């Protein structure tokens, strides 16, 4: 599918999924060619916050994409330490 079609499909998937599902899975737009998709997913797993949907275009040689749903637990996420002050 084209990138625009993939974005529409992703939006539809997110709209139709529960909030809980959205907290445990990433829905990614990835290249349809398996080698390119593998490279994209590997790079995404190492730094998810530095990727946006359009990032997949840099990995695709034929501008053909698909959706991939992957568990968030499989990714490295940077977590900032946050101090919380509790009112007395």
């Amino acid at each position: 599918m084209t990138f625009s079609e993939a974005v529409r499909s992703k939006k539809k998937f997110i709209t139709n999924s529960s909030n809980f599902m959205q907290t445990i899975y990433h829905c990614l737009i990835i290249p349809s060619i398996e080698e390119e998709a593998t490279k994209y997913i590997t790079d995404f797993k190492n730094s998810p916050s530095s990727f946006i949907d359009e990032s997949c275009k840099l990995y695709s040689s034929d501008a053909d994409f698909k959706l991939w749903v992957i568990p968030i637990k499989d990714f490295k996420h940077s977590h900032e330490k946050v101090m919380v002050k509790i009112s007395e």
Side-chain angles (χ1 to χ4, degrees):
M1 71 180 81
T2 67
F3 179 75
S4 296
E5 291 169 331
V7 169
R8 282 193 298 276
S9 293
K10 180 178 178 176
K11 287 180 181 178
K12 185 176 181 180
F13 174 84
I14 290 170
T15 299
N16 292 334
S17 64
S18 68
N19 288 336
F20 175 71
M21 184 161 170
Q22 292 176 37
T23 64
I24 60 174
Y25 292 101
H26 276 299
C27 180
L28 303 176
I29 299 172
I30 63 171
S32 62
I33 297 173
E34 186 155 345
E35 296 81 16
E36 295 170 350
T38 300
K39 174 69 173 144
Y40 178 80
I41 291 168
T42 299
D43 291 351
F44 183 91
K45 282 182 176 183
N46 289 322
S47 183
S49 62
S50 63
F51 282 77
I52 58 174
D53 285 341
E54 285 81 11
S55 299
C56 65
K57 292 178 180 179
L58 302 172
Y59 291 77
S60 177
S61 61
D62 66 356
D64 191 35
F65 302 94
K66 61 184 177 180
L67 290 186
W68 198 258
V69 178
I70 235 169
I72 289 175
K73 68 177 181 61
D74 293 347
F75 294 83
K76 295 178 184 174
H77 289 279
S78 60
H79 297 287
E80 295 179 15
K81 293 182 180 178
V82 178
M83 299 285 291
V84 178
K85 182 177 180 181
I86 301 174
S87 299
E88 295 179 3

